[in-house]
PDB file of all heavy atoms in Angstrom:
ATOM      1  N   LEU Q  65      94.990 106.012 101.702  1.00  0.00           N
ATOM      2  CA  LEU Q  65      95.376 107.381 101.927  1.00  0.00           C
ATOM      3  C   LEU Q  65      94.763 107.887 103.130  1.00  0.00           C
ATOM      4  O   LEU Q  65      94.902 109.081 103.517  1.00  0.00           O
ATOM      5  CB  LEU Q  65      94.942 108.178 100.724  1.00  0.00           C
ATOM      6  CG  LEU Q  65      95.658 107.784  99.319  1.00  0.00           C
ATOM      7  CD1 LEU Q  65      95.216 108.581  98.213  1.00  0.00           C
ATOM      8  CD2 LEU Q  65      97.197 107.878  99.575  1.00  0.00           C
ATOM      9  N   LEU Q  66      93.888 107.209 103.894  1.00  0.00           N
ATOM     10  CA  LEU Q  66      93.386 107.605 105.118  1.00  0.00           C
ATOM     11  C   LEU Q  66      94.332 107.313 106.285  1.00  0.00           C
ATOM     12  O   LEU Q  66      94.043 107.675 107.368  1.00  0.00           O
ATOM     13  CB  LEU Q  66      91.983 107.023 105.400  1.00  0.00           C
ATOM     14  CG  LEU Q  66      90.774 107.511 104.570  1.00  0.00           C
ATOM     15  CD1 LEU Q  66      89.545 106.752 104.814  1.00  0.00           C
ATOM     16  CD2 LEU Q  66      90.600 109.017 104.842  1.00  0.00           C
ATOM     17  N   ASP Q  67      95.397 106.597 105.935  1.00  0.00           N
ATOM     18  CA  ASP Q  67      96.365 106.243 106.922  1.00  0.00           C
ATOM     19  C   ASP Q  67      97.533 107.341 106.711  1.00  0.00           C
ATOM     20  O   ASP Q  67      98.332 107.196 105.828  1.00  0.00           O
ATOM     21  CB  ASP Q  67      97.023 104.839 106.674  1.00  0.00           C
ATOM     22  CG  ASP Q  67      97.984 104.389 107.588  1.00  0.00           C
ATOM     23  OD1 ASP Q  67      98.597 105.204 108.347  1.00  0.00           O
ATOM     24  OD2 ASP Q  67      98.447 103.184 107.642  1.00  0.00           O
ATOM     25  N   ALA Q  68      97.649 108.266 107.634  1.00  0.00           N
ATOM     26  CA  ALA Q  68      98.597 109.419 107.609  1.00  0.00           C
ATOM     27  C   ALA Q  68      99.939 108.811 107.507  1.00  0.00           C
ATOM     28  O   ALA Q  68     100.766 109.269 106.725  1.00  0.00           O
ATOM     29  CB  ALA Q  68      98.318 110.415 108.677  1.00  0.00           C
ATOM     30  N   GLU Q  69     100.381 108.091 108.427  1.00  0.00           N
ATOM     31  CA  GLU Q  69     101.761 107.677 108.515  1.00  0.00           C
ATOM     32  C   GLU Q  69     102.098 106.652 107.295  1.00  0.00           C
ATOM     33  O   GLU Q  69     103.147 106.556 106.843  1.00  0.00           O
ATOM     34  CB  GLU Q  69     101.972 106.741 109.844  1.00  0.00           C
ATOM     35  CG  GLU Q  69     102.011 107.711 111.079  1.00  0.00           C
ATOM     36  CD  GLU Q  69     102.924 108.838 110.913  1.00  0.00           C
ATOM     37  OE1 GLU Q  69     104.089 108.689 110.486  1.00  0.00           O
ATOM     38  OE2 GLU Q  69     102.479 110.039 111.215  1.00  0.00           O
ATOM     39  N   GLY Q  70     101.116 105.840 107.002  1.00  0.00           N
ATOM     40  CA  GLY Q  70     101.418 104.912 105.838  1.00  0.00           C
ATOM     41  C   GLY Q  70     101.585 105.772 104.610  1.00  0.00           C
ATOM     42  O   GLY Q  70     102.316 105.493 103.641  1.00  0.00           O
ATOM     43  N   THR Q  71     100.818 106.846 104.440  1.00  0.00           N
ATOM     44  CA  THR Q  71     100.834 107.722 103.328  1.00  0.00           C
ATOM     45  C   THR Q  71     102.230 108.432 103.200  1.00  0.00           C
ATOM     46  O   THR Q  71     102.851 108.489 102.175  1.00  0.00           O
ATOM     47  CB  THR Q  71      99.734 108.742 103.239  1.00  0.00           C
ATOM     48  OG1 THR Q  71      98.479 108.061 103.143  1.00  0.00           O
ATOM     49  CG2 THR Q  71      99.808 109.621 101.936  1.00  0.00           C
ATOM     50  N   ARG Q  72     102.587 108.903 104.403  1.00  0.00           N
ATOM     51  CA  ARG Q  72     103.955 109.492 104.458  1.00  0.00           C
ATOM     52  C   ARG Q  72     105.064 108.449 104.122  1.00  0.00           C
ATOM     53  O   ARG Q  72     106.063 108.910 103.438  1.00  0.00           O
ATOM     54  CB  ARG Q  72     104.177 110.100 105.786  1.00  0.00           C
ATOM     55  CG  ARG Q  72     105.380 111.074 105.854  1.00  0.00           C
ATOM     56  CD  ARG Q  72     105.298 111.699 107.310  1.00  0.00           C
ATOM     57  NE  ARG Q  72     104.286 112.581 107.443  1.00  0.00           N
ATOM     58  CZ  ARG Q  72     104.268 113.956 107.107  1.00  0.00           C
ATOM     59  NH1 ARG Q  72     105.351 114.441 106.403  1.00  0.00           N
ATOM     60  NH2 ARG Q  72     103.338 114.745 107.309  1.00  0.00           N
ATOM     61  N   ALA Q  73     104.946 107.283 104.570  1.00  0.00           N
ATOM     62  CA  ALA Q  73     106.046 106.301 104.216  1.00  0.00           C
ATOM     63  C   ALA Q  73     106.006 106.009 102.818  1.00  0.00           C
ATOM     64  O   ALA Q  73     107.138 105.824 102.224  1.00  0.00           O
ATOM     65  CB  ALA Q  73     105.793 105.102 105.170  1.00  0.00           C
ATOM     66  N   TRP Q  74     104.882 105.884 102.217  1.00  0.00           N
ATOM     67  CA  TRP Q  74     104.727 105.617 100.770  1.00  0.00           C
ATOM     68  C   TRP Q  74     105.406 106.801  99.995  1.00  0.00           C
ATOM     69  O   TRP Q  74     106.118 106.457  99.090  1.00  0.00           O
ATOM     70  CB  TRP Q  74     103.267 105.391 100.457  1.00  0.00           C
ATOM     71  CG  TRP Q  74     103.011 105.439  98.853  1.00  0.00           C
ATOM     72  CD1 TRP Q  74     103.522 104.728  98.014  1.00  0.00           C
ATOM     73  CD2 TRP Q  74     102.217 106.482  98.282  1.00  0.00           C
ATOM     74  NE1 TRP Q  74     103.034 105.013  96.768  1.00  0.00           N
ATOM     75  CE2 TRP Q  74     102.224 105.981  96.874  1.00  0.00           C
ATOM     76  CE3 TRP Q  74     101.382 107.463  98.569  1.00  0.00           C
ATOM     77  CZ2 TRP Q  74     101.526 106.764  95.974  1.00  0.00           C
ATOM     78  CZ3 TRP Q  74     100.608 108.178  97.795  1.00  0.00           C
ATOM     79  CH2 TRP Q  74     100.589 107.817  96.343  1.00  0.00           C
ATOM     80  N   ALA Q  75     105.156 108.025 100.417  1.00  0.00           N
ATOM     81  CA  ALA Q  75     105.790 109.158  99.620  1.00  0.00           C
ATOM     82  C   ALA Q  75     107.235 109.100  99.704  1.00  0.00           C
ATOM     83  O   ALA Q  75     107.909 109.276  98.704  1.00  0.00           O
ATOM     84  CB  ALA Q  75     105.230 110.463 100.315  1.00  0.00           C
ATOM     85  N   GLY Q  76     107.852 108.684 100.958  1.00  0.00           N
ATOM     86  CA  GLY Q  76     109.251 108.566 101.023  1.00  0.00           C
ATOM     87  C   GLY Q  76     109.795 107.480 100.160  1.00  0.00           C
ATOM     88  O   GLY Q  76     110.886 107.572  99.473  1.00  0.00           O
ATOM     89  N   ALA Q  77     109.049 106.330  99.978  1.00  0.00           N
ATOM     90  CA  ALA Q  77     109.441 105.341  99.184  1.00  0.00           C
ATOM     91  C   ALA Q  77     109.405 105.742  97.615  1.00  0.00           C
ATOM     92  O   ALA Q  77     110.339 105.303  96.994  1.00  0.00           O
ATOM     93  CB  ALA Q  77     108.519 104.026  99.459  1.00  0.00           C
ATOM     94  N   VAL Q  78     108.432 106.458  97.245  1.00  0.00           N
ATOM     95  CA  VAL Q  78     108.426 106.927  95.874  1.00  0.00           C
ATOM     96  C   VAL Q  78     109.517 107.760  95.543  1.00  0.00           C
ATOM     97  O   VAL Q  78     110.168 107.490  94.578  1.00  0.00           O
ATOM     98  CB  VAL Q  78     107.030 107.684  95.653  1.00  0.00           C
ATOM     99  CG1 VAL Q  78     107.179 108.296  94.180  1.00  0.00           C
ATOM    100  CG2 VAL Q  78     105.869 106.697  95.620  1.00  0.00           C
ATOM    101  N   ALA Q  79     109.865 108.706  96.469  1.00  0.00           N
ATOM    102  CA  ALA Q  79     111.016 109.479  96.232  1.00  0.00           C
ATOM    103  C   ALA Q  79     112.285 108.648  96.179  1.00  0.00           C
ATOM    104  O   ALA Q  79     113.225 109.040  95.440  1.00  0.00           O
ATOM    105  CB  ALA Q  79     111.007 110.769  97.222  1.00  0.00           C
ATOM    106  N   ALA Q  80     112.447 107.797  97.127  1.00  0.00           N
ATOM    107  CA  ALA Q  80     113.668 106.998  97.200  1.00  0.00           C
ATOM    108  C   ALA Q  80     113.806 106.114  95.946  1.00  0.00           C
ATOM    109  O   ALA Q  80     114.904 106.110  95.464  1.00  0.00           O
ATOM    110  CB  ALA Q  80     113.601 106.116  98.375  1.00  0.00           C
ATOM    111  N   GLU Q  81     112.759 105.635  95.503  1.00  0.00           N
ATOM    112  CA  GLU Q  81     112.882 104.742  94.310  1.00  0.00           C
ATOM    113  C   GLU Q  81     113.068 105.430  93.118  1.00  0.00           C
ATOM    114  O   GLU Q  81     114.099 105.057  92.140  1.00  0.00           O
ATOM    115  CB  GLU Q  81     111.658 103.905  94.087  1.00  0.00           C
ATOM    116  CG  GLU Q  81     111.623 103.059  92.920  1.00  0.00           C
ATOM    117  CD  GLU Q  81     110.258 102.237  92.712  1.00  0.00           C
ATOM    118  OE1 GLU Q  81     109.432 102.426  93.513  1.00  0.00           O
ATOM    119  OE2 GLU Q  81     110.278 101.552  91.606  1.00  0.00           O
ATOM    120  N   HIS Q  82     112.551 106.689  92.848  1.00  0.00           N
ATOM    121  CA  HIS Q  82     112.741 107.390  91.596  1.00  0.00           C
ATOM    122  C   HIS Q  82     113.579 108.539  91.605  1.00  0.00           C
ATOM    123  O   HIS Q  82     113.910 109.171  90.533  1.00  0.00           O
ATOM    124  CB  HIS Q  82     111.227 107.857  91.107  1.00  0.00           C
ATOM    125  CG  HIS Q  82     110.308 106.728  90.853  1.00  0.00           C
ATOM    126  ND1 HIS Q  82     110.352 105.970  89.762  1.00  0.00           N
ATOM    127  CD2 HIS Q  82     109.266 106.354  91.618  1.00  0.00           C
ATOM    128  CE1 HIS Q  82     109.348 104.940  89.736  1.00  0.00           C
ATOM    129  NE2 HIS Q  82     108.686 105.192  90.860  1.00  0.00           N
ATOM    130  N   GLY Q  83     114.082 108.873  92.704  1.00  0.00           N
ATOM    131  CA  GLY Q  83     114.923 110.054  92.995  1.00  0.00           C
ATOM    132  C   GLY Q  83     114.351 111.430  92.852  1.00  0.00           C
ATOM    133  O   GLY Q  83     115.047 112.386  92.984  1.00  0.00           O
ATOM    134  N   ARG Q  84     113.069 111.520  92.746  1.00  0.00           N
ATOM    135  CA  ARG Q  84     112.320 112.796  92.455  1.00  0.00           C
ATOM    136  C   ARG Q  84     110.868 112.589  92.622  1.00  0.00           C
ATOM    137  O   ARG Q  84     110.422 111.403  92.204  1.00  0.00           O
ATOM    138  CB  ARG Q  84     112.731 113.501  91.160  1.00  0.00           C
ATOM    139  CG  ARG Q  84     112.381 112.585  89.932  1.00  0.00           C
ATOM    140  CD  ARG Q  84     113.044 113.172  88.738  1.00  0.00           C
ATOM    141  NE  ARG Q  84     112.527 114.492  88.347  1.00  0.00           N
ATOM    142  CZ  ARG Q  84     113.167 115.272  87.441  1.00  0.00           C
ATOM    143  NH1 ARG Q  84     114.213 115.121  86.997  1.00  0.00           N
ATOM    144  NH2 ARG Q  84     112.561 116.503  87.154  1.00  0.00           N
TER     145      ARG Q  84
END
Side-chain angles (χ1 to χ4, degrees):
L65 298 178
L66 288 174
D67 179 350
E69 292 305 315
T71 302
R72 193 175 291 275
W74 166 58
V78 171
E81 177 180 357
H82 298 287
R84 61 191 292 161

